[in-house]
Amino acid sequence: MRTKPWAAVAAALPLAVACVAGPPAAASTDGVKPPTVPAGTTASWLVFDRKAGKFVATRNAHRKFRSASVVKILIAIDYLEKRKSVPAADARLLKVMLRSSDDGAATTFWNRGGKGAIVQRMARKLGLSDTAPPPASKPGFWGYTSLSAYDIVRTYRYLLDTAAPGVRETILGHLRNSTPCGTDGFDQYFGIPRAVPKPWAVKQGWSGFGDVAPTKCGTGASVNPVPLRAPGADLSISGVASRATGSGVPDYGRPVLHTTGLLGKDDRFIMALLTAHPVGGTWSSSVKRITGLTQSLYRSVS
């Protein structure tokens, strides 16, 4: 099988001590008003300014969310750090998983790597305090991994400052070339790609909006989406709360949208913005909320 050679793999070094401590309860934005979270939306964010060497914006940075596709970064790190070369077939899977958020590729690596054991290994190695694998009752659901804005920023800092060059360049190279459309047909240019000027590198996440995109990505044409829940399902707040109790999955029953990545020249800012939206919320309204929040957050720190 043809393989893709790497540069010599450097020994991973511990993260700087400054990265271990959590962000302050509130970070100064030089008098700029922080974003206003829309009613019914739960949002957490953290922004690290690499040039200044400090957190510059934070809100509930340790609040746990279900990861959706953001966990694909951890899946990729775990896979790449265990080998010196990558088979051509796996290189193609990594590309489509990271650029176009392909779920089938993620599932392939997830099953091969031991499922939740991947998350446990990465949490230990990177010192991720809020990250945990899916509950034991749902081992195949990698998107049910729990994580926080703080842990996502820490993961990007690991890639930039500690990971071996081959790992860093492979993953960030793909995230810098994120495609407008996911392979599932959803438009993944919300949040950072829609609100922040290039250059950027992004990994998006979405879950709870059904299996079919409400519009065909790139055309705006309706594709007759399936309902978010089966007919007759209880979409009330109490119904969602009942299902969520004991599930071990954050915001179980609510749709989530996440936008994360590196922003600006020389990757100056690292941003993680995680959101959970009203029960039964539409894709378009949720995208509008997170993109507006991203725009306001970027303006407050740039």
PDB file of all heavy atoms in Angstrom, residues 139-154:
ATOM      1  N   PRO A 139     -21.477   4.107  22.630  1.00  0.00           N
ATOM      2  CA  PRO A 139     -20.043   4.118  22.312  1.00  0.00           C
ATOM      3  C   PRO A 139     -19.705   4.520  20.884  1.00  0.00           C
ATOM      4  O   PRO A 139     -18.609   5.004  20.620  1.00  0.00           O
ATOM      5  CB  PRO A 139     -19.614   2.669  22.595  1.00  0.00           C
ATOM      6  CG  PRO A 139     -20.867   1.867  22.378  1.00  0.00           C
ATOM      7  CD  PRO A 139     -21.967   2.750  22.903  1.00  0.00           C
ATOM      8  N   GLY A 140     -20.624   4.296  19.960  1.00  0.00           N
ATOM      9  CA  GLY A 140     -20.336   4.617  18.563  1.00  0.00           C
ATOM     10  C   GLY A 140     -20.594   6.056  18.187  1.00  0.00           C
ATOM     11  O   GLY A 140     -20.244   6.484  17.074  1.00  0.00           O
ATOM     12  N   PHE A 141     -21.184   6.829  19.096  1.00  0.00           N
ATOM     13  CA  PHE A 141     -21.576   8.202  18.791  1.00  0.00           C
ATOM     14  C   PHE A 141     -20.446   9.175  19.151  1.00  0.00           C
ATOM     15  O   PHE A 141     -20.483   9.825  20.192  1.00  0.00           O
ATOM     16  CB  PHE A 141     -22.854   8.570  19.550  1.00  0.00           C
ATOM     17  CG  PHE A 141     -24.091   7.878  19.040  1.00  0.00           C
ATOM     18  CD1 PHE A 141     -24.302   6.527  19.275  1.00  0.00           C
ATOM     19  CD2 PHE A 141     -25.056   8.585  18.324  1.00  0.00           C
ATOM     20  CE1 PHE A 141     -25.438   5.882  18.807  1.00  0.00           C
ATOM     21  CE2 PHE A 141     -26.197   7.955  17.852  1.00  0.00           C
ATOM     22  CZ  PHE A 141     -26.389   6.597  18.091  1.00  0.00           C
ATOM     23  N   TRP A 142     -19.453   9.296  18.272  1.00  0.00           N
ATOM     24  CA  TRP A 142     -18.329  10.186  18.563  1.00  0.00           C
ATOM     25  C   TRP A 142     -18.775  11.633  18.761  1.00  0.00           C
ATOM     26  O   TRP A 142     -18.152  12.389  19.486  1.00  0.00           O
ATOM     27  CB  TRP A 142     -17.262  10.104  17.474  1.00  0.00           C
ATOM     28  CG  TRP A 142     -17.776  10.045  16.064  1.00  0.00           C
ATOM     29  CD1 TRP A 142     -17.900   8.936  15.290  1.00  0.00           C
ATOM     30  CD2 TRP A 142     -18.236  11.146  15.264  1.00  0.00           C
ATOM     31  NE1 TRP A 142     -18.416   9.263  14.043  1.00  0.00           N
ATOM     32  CE2 TRP A 142     -18.624  10.616  14.006  1.00  0.00           C
ATOM     33  CE3 TRP A 142     -18.353  12.512  15.477  1.00  0.00           C
ATOM     34  CZ2 TRP A 142     -19.123  11.416  12.978  1.00  0.00           C
ATOM     35  CZ3 TRP A 142     -18.854  13.324  14.465  1.00  0.00           C
ATOM     36  CH2 TRP A 142     -19.235  12.774  13.230  1.00  0.00           C
ATOM     37  N   GLY A 143     -19.878  12.019  18.131  1.00  0.00           N
ATOM     38  CA  GLY A 143     -20.386  13.384  18.266  1.00  0.00           C
ATOM     39  C   GLY A 143     -20.953  13.686  19.633  1.00  0.00           C
ATOM     40  O   GLY A 143     -21.248  14.852  19.942  1.00  0.00           O
ATOM     41  N   TYR A 144     -21.122  12.636  20.469  1.00  0.00           N
ATOM     42  CA  TYR A 144     -21.611  12.823  21.841  1.00  0.00           C
ATOM     43  C   TYR A 144     -20.468  12.993  22.846  1.00  0.00           C
ATOM     44  O   TYR A 144     -20.694  13.002  24.048  1.00  0.00           O
ATOM     45  CB  TYR A 144     -22.473  11.638  22.261  1.00  0.00           C
ATOM     46  CG  TYR A 144     -23.866  11.628  21.643  1.00  0.00           C
ATOM     47  CD1 TYR A 144     -24.737  10.561  21.853  1.00  0.00           C
ATOM     48  CD2 TYR A 144     -24.309  12.672  20.838  1.00  0.00           C
ATOM     49  CE1 TYR A 144     -26.008  10.536  21.303  1.00  0.00           C
ATOM     50  CE2 TYR A 144     -25.577  12.655  20.270  1.00  0.00           C
ATOM     51  CZ  TYR A 144     -26.414  11.582  20.505  1.00  0.00           C
ATOM     52  OH  TYR A 144     -27.667  11.564  19.958  1.00  0.00           O
ATOM     53  N   THR A 145     -19.257  13.124  22.339  1.00  0.00           N
ATOM     54  CA  THR A 145     -18.134  13.483  23.207  1.00  0.00           C
ATOM     55  C   THR A 145     -18.424  14.838  23.858  1.00  0.00           C
ATOM     56  O   THR A 145     -18.989  15.724  23.231  1.00  0.00           O
ATOM     57  CB  THR A 145     -16.839  13.582  22.374  1.00  0.00           C
ATOM     58  OG1 THR A 145     -16.527  12.287  21.852  1.00  0.00           O
ATOM     59  CG2 THR A 145     -15.670  14.110  23.192  1.00  0.00           C
ATOM     60  N   SER A 146     -18.052  14.979  25.125  1.00  0.00           N
ATOM     61  CA  SER A 146     -18.223  16.252  25.823  1.00  0.00           C
ATOM     62  C   SER A 146     -16.922  17.042  25.759  1.00  0.00           C
ATOM     63  O   SER A 146     -15.835  16.469  25.916  1.00  0.00           O
ATOM     64  CB  SER A 146     -18.587  16.016  27.297  1.00  0.00           C
ATOM     65  OG  SER A 146     -19.798  15.315  27.418  1.00  0.00           O
ATOM     66  N   LEU A 147     -17.038  18.348  25.532  1.00  0.00           N
ATOM     67  CA  LEU A 147     -15.865  19.217  25.556  1.00  0.00           C
ATOM     68  C   LEU A 147     -16.291  20.649  25.844  1.00  0.00           C
ATOM     69  O   LEU A 147     -17.479  20.948  25.953  1.00  0.00           O
ATOM     70  CB  LEU A 147     -15.079  19.124  24.244  1.00  0.00           C
ATOM     71  CG  LEU A 147     -15.802  19.128  22.894  1.00  0.00           C
ATOM     72  CD1 LEU A 147     -16.470  20.448  22.623  1.00  0.00           C
ATOM     73  CD2 LEU A 147     -14.830  18.793  21.774  1.00  0.00           C
ATOM     74  N   SER A 148     -15.319  21.532  25.984  1.00  0.00           N
ATOM     75  CA  SER A 148     -15.586  22.926  26.329  1.00  0.00           C
ATOM     76  C   SER A 148     -14.796  23.853  25.417  1.00  0.00           C
ATOM     77  O   SER A 148     -13.855  23.432  24.728  1.00  0.00           O
ATOM     78  CB  SER A 148     -15.180  23.201  27.783  1.00  0.00           C
ATOM     79  OG  SER A 148     -13.763  23.084  27.924  1.00  0.00           O
ATOM     80  N   ALA A 149     -15.150  25.137  25.454  1.00  0.00           N
ATOM     81  CA  ALA A 149     -14.402  26.129  24.679  1.00  0.00           C
ATOM     82  C   ALA A 149     -12.950  26.170  25.131  1.00  0.00           C
ATOM     83  O   ALA A 149     -12.027  26.299  24.321  1.00  0.00           O
ATOM     84  CB  ALA A 149     -15.059  27.502  24.832  1.00  0.00           C
ATOM     85  N   TYR A 150     -12.736  26.039  26.442  1.00  0.00           N
ATOM     86  CA  TYR A 150     -11.370  26.063  26.970  1.00  0.00           C
ATOM     87  C   TYR A 150     -10.536  24.913  26.408  1.00  0.00           C
ATOM     88  O   TYR A 150      -9.385  25.103  25.977  1.00  0.00           O
ATOM     89  CB  TYR A 150     -11.389  25.978  28.496  1.00  0.00           C
ATOM     90  CG  TYR A 150     -10.006  25.885  29.091  1.00  0.00           C
ATOM     91  CD1 TYR A 150      -9.184  26.998  29.178  1.00  0.00           C
ATOM     92  CD2 TYR A 150      -9.513  24.656  29.543  1.00  0.00           C
ATOM     93  CE1 TYR A 150      -7.902  26.903  29.699  1.00  0.00           C
ATOM     94  CE2 TYR A 150      -8.231  24.554  30.062  1.00  0.00           C
ATOM     95  CZ  TYR A 150      -7.434  25.675  30.142  1.00  0.00           C
ATOM     96  OH  TYR A 150      -6.164  25.570  30.647  1.00  0.00           O
ATOM     97  N   ASP A 151     -11.115  23.715  26.375  1.00  0.00           N
ATOM     98  CA  ASP A 151     -10.372  22.567  25.885  1.00  0.00           C
ATOM     99  C   ASP A 151     -10.094  22.665  24.391  1.00  0.00           C
ATOM    100  O   ASP A 151      -9.062  22.190  23.900  1.00  0.00           O
ATOM    101  CB  ASP A 151     -11.122  21.278  26.201  1.00  0.00           C
ATOM    102  CG  ASP A 151     -10.947  20.841  27.656  1.00  0.00           C
ATOM    103  OD1 ASP A 151     -10.196  21.517  28.390  1.00  0.00           O
ATOM    104  OD2 ASP A 151     -11.568  19.837  28.048  1.00  0.00           O
ATOM    105  N   ILE A 152     -10.998  23.274  23.642  1.00  0.00           N
ATOM    106  CA  ILE A 152     -10.770  23.444  22.205  1.00  0.00           C
ATOM    107  C   ILE A 152      -9.615  24.407  21.964  1.00  0.00           C
ATOM    108  O   ILE A 152      -8.729  24.152  21.135  1.00  0.00           O
ATOM    109  CB  ILE A 152     -12.049  23.941  21.512  1.00  0.00           C
ATOM    110  CG1 ILE A 152     -13.143  22.869  21.581  1.00  0.00           C
ATOM    111  CG2 ILE A 152     -11.760  24.288  20.045  1.00  0.00           C
ATOM    112  CD1 ILE A 152     -14.502  23.363  21.178  1.00  0.00           C
ATOM    113  N   VAL A 153      -9.598  25.521  22.679  1.00  0.00           N
ATOM    114  CA  VAL A 153      -8.486  26.466  22.536  1.00  0.00           C
ATOM    115  C   VAL A 153      -7.176  25.790  22.921  1.00  0.00           C
ATOM    116  O   VAL A 153      -6.144  25.955  22.257  1.00  0.00           O
ATOM    117  CB  VAL A 153      -8.731  27.730  23.388  1.00  0.00           C
ATOM    118  CG1 VAL A 153      -7.472  28.596  23.464  1.00  0.00           C
ATOM    119  CG2 VAL A 153      -9.885  28.544  22.806  1.00  0.00           C
ATOM    120  N   ARG A 154      -7.208  25.015  23.967  1.00  0.00           N
ATOM    121  CA  ARG A 154      -6.009  24.288  24.404  1.00  0.00           C
ATOM    122  C   ARG A 154      -5.539  23.318  23.321  1.00  0.00           C
ATOM    123  O   ARG A 154      -4.327  23.145  23.100  1.00  0.00           O
ATOM    124  CB  ARG A 154      -6.306  23.538  25.701  1.00  0.00           C
ATOM    125  CG  ARG A 154      -5.076  22.898  26.358  1.00  0.00           C
ATOM    126  CD  ARG A 154      -5.433  22.337  27.715  1.00  0.00           C
ATOM    127  NE  ARG A 154      -4.320  21.633  28.321  1.00  0.00           N
ATOM    128  CZ  ARG A 154      -3.358  22.210  29.057  1.00  0.00           C
ATOM    129  NH1 ARG A 154      -3.399  23.517  29.255  1.00  0.00           N
ATOM    130  NH2 ARG A 154      -2.380  21.493  29.579  1.00  0.00           N
TER     131      ARG A 154
END
